[in-house]
Amino acid sequence: MKKLKVGLIGFSIGGHVFHAPFIAENPDLELYKVTARKPEQQQMLAERYPDAIGVMSAEDIINDPEVDIVAIATSNDVHFSFAKAALEAGKHVVVEKPFTNYSAEADELIALAKEKNLVLSVHHNARFHSDFKTVKKVIESGRLGRVVNYEARYDRFRNFLRAGAWREENLPGSGIHYDLGAHLIDQALLVFGKPIAVFADLRIQRDGAKTIDDFEFILSYPGLKVSLKGQMLAKISTARYAVYGMSGCFVKWGVDPQEALLRDGVQPSQHLDWGKEDPAYQGTIAVLENGNDVEEKIESEWGTGQDFYKNIVSAIQGSEDLYIKPEQARDVIRILELAEQSWAEQRTISLEGELIS
């Protein structure tokens, strides 16, 4: 079958780290055109992907009849406008997370994709991370019994602001709650479904900061509390995941290894153990089983970032259901909106009547 040609809009970190390597190594895809405006981006593109065509504008990709898929790896402020233009031009579309800044924009894109019979998905790549895949497998095994507390977090340390970084400005869709929090919300919704209420604590902590750099979301379920946190002043990291159930708990440290390799320019095919965690980061399960206390390490699942674009191809070909549906990504945005409302009004927000899957 003819390769599907991908136009990648954005070749900063989002584009050259998280999208281009997996597109280029998918046998059913061709990294055809890439926006590369800065000299350093043009040089990187020429060195890593010499067959790709560098262009200066998104329109050069969206209006090209040869392009089958438009992948949008830009700042959040243009996700909606570029995705809408690409769908109107008859292209399948992949949008970097978070999907859009507002859920109403997401709804408009979903309706347009359905009208045009096009595949629309969002790059919630943390679903394919080794740490989350391991946690999800442990929960689904039932060894913890009924889960009553689920904690997930991103601990980072950067006590200064990055000059010129749009995420540091007080703009719609900026702040680490939209950036990192979107991952954690998507994972929680995937495992537990729709919560009944949300409460948020959103703070600006670093000197001179203009937007959220510390967050906590509490999603309430019948008999279950989900706590999702992120901060920029954690010099010593805590556990990435901690899950507590009636039969015991599972605690997981460390982060998925794929991003570090991608940032160093390593392609998936160049690493024999792609997605394999250091055994030192294996999580620990401690449970009461058959009246006995059991504590053991759980071998981590392998990270599989390449599965995202494999699924996109299969969905376009009609051989597989779309794994990350736009409605799911829209639900993440709606939770973020309600979280901001919760903090502004200093109250818990009920999700009764919310159309969340």
Side-chain angles (χ1 to χ4, degrees), residues 41-53:
Q41 293 176 344
Q42 295 165 2
Q43 180 180 350
M44 181 185 293
L45 182 65
E47 291 173 353
R48 296 185 182 180
Y49 310 104
D51 294 331
I53 301 169

Side-chain angles (χ1 to χ4, degrees), residues 142-161:
R143 293 186 68 187
L144 300 178
R146 180 172 62 83
V147 174
V148 296
N149 278 305
Y150 171 95
E151 300 173 1
R153 64 189 304 142
Y154 280 99
D155 284 335
R156 294 185 174 178
F157 184 78
R158 182 162 54 80
N159 62 359
F160 61 91
L161 308 181

Side-chain angles (χ1 to χ4, degrees), residues 331-350:
D331 292 346
V332 172
I333 303 303
R334 186 58 185 146
I335 293 289
L336 284 164
E337 289 176 330
L338 295 172
E340 291 189 334
Q341 179 186 350
S342 167
W343 180 240
E345 299 178 2
Q346 290 290 287
R347 67 183 182 93
T348 298
I349 304 294
S350 171

Side-chain angles (χ1 to χ4, degrees), residues 8 10 13-25 31 49 71-73 94-97 122-123 262 308-309:
L8 175 59
I13 289 176
H16 81 253
V17 171
F18 298 112
H19 289 267
F22 295 121
I23 295 169
E25 294 207 344
L31 186 61
Y49 310 104
I72 300 165
V94 168
V95 185
E96 181 53 54
K97 65 83 211 160
V122 178
H123 190 237
L262 292 167
F308 176 82
Y309 276 103

Side-chain angles (χ1 to χ4, degrees), residues 155-176:
D155 284 335
R156 294 185 174 178
F157 184 78
R158 182 162 54 80
N159 62 359
F160 61 91
L161 308 181
R162 285 188 176 144
W166 63 266
R167 284 192 177 91
E168 303 278 24
E169 300 297 325
N170 185 20
L171 301 169
S174 65
I176 69 167

Side-chain angles (χ1 to χ4, degrees), residues 131 135 150-156 184 227-231 234 236-244 249-255 281-284:
D131 46 14
V135 170
Y150 171 95
E151 300 173 1
R153 64 189 304 142
Y154 280 99
D155 284 335
R156 294 185 174 178
L184 299 180
S227 177
L228 312 174
K229 302 179 181 181
Q231 60 178 316
I236 298 176
S237 295
T238 53
R240 282 276 288 121
Y241 295 92
V243 189
Y244 302 89
C249 67
F250 178 69
V251 179
K252 177 77 174 67
W253 296 70
V255 295
Y281 295 137
Q282 289 181 354
T284 300

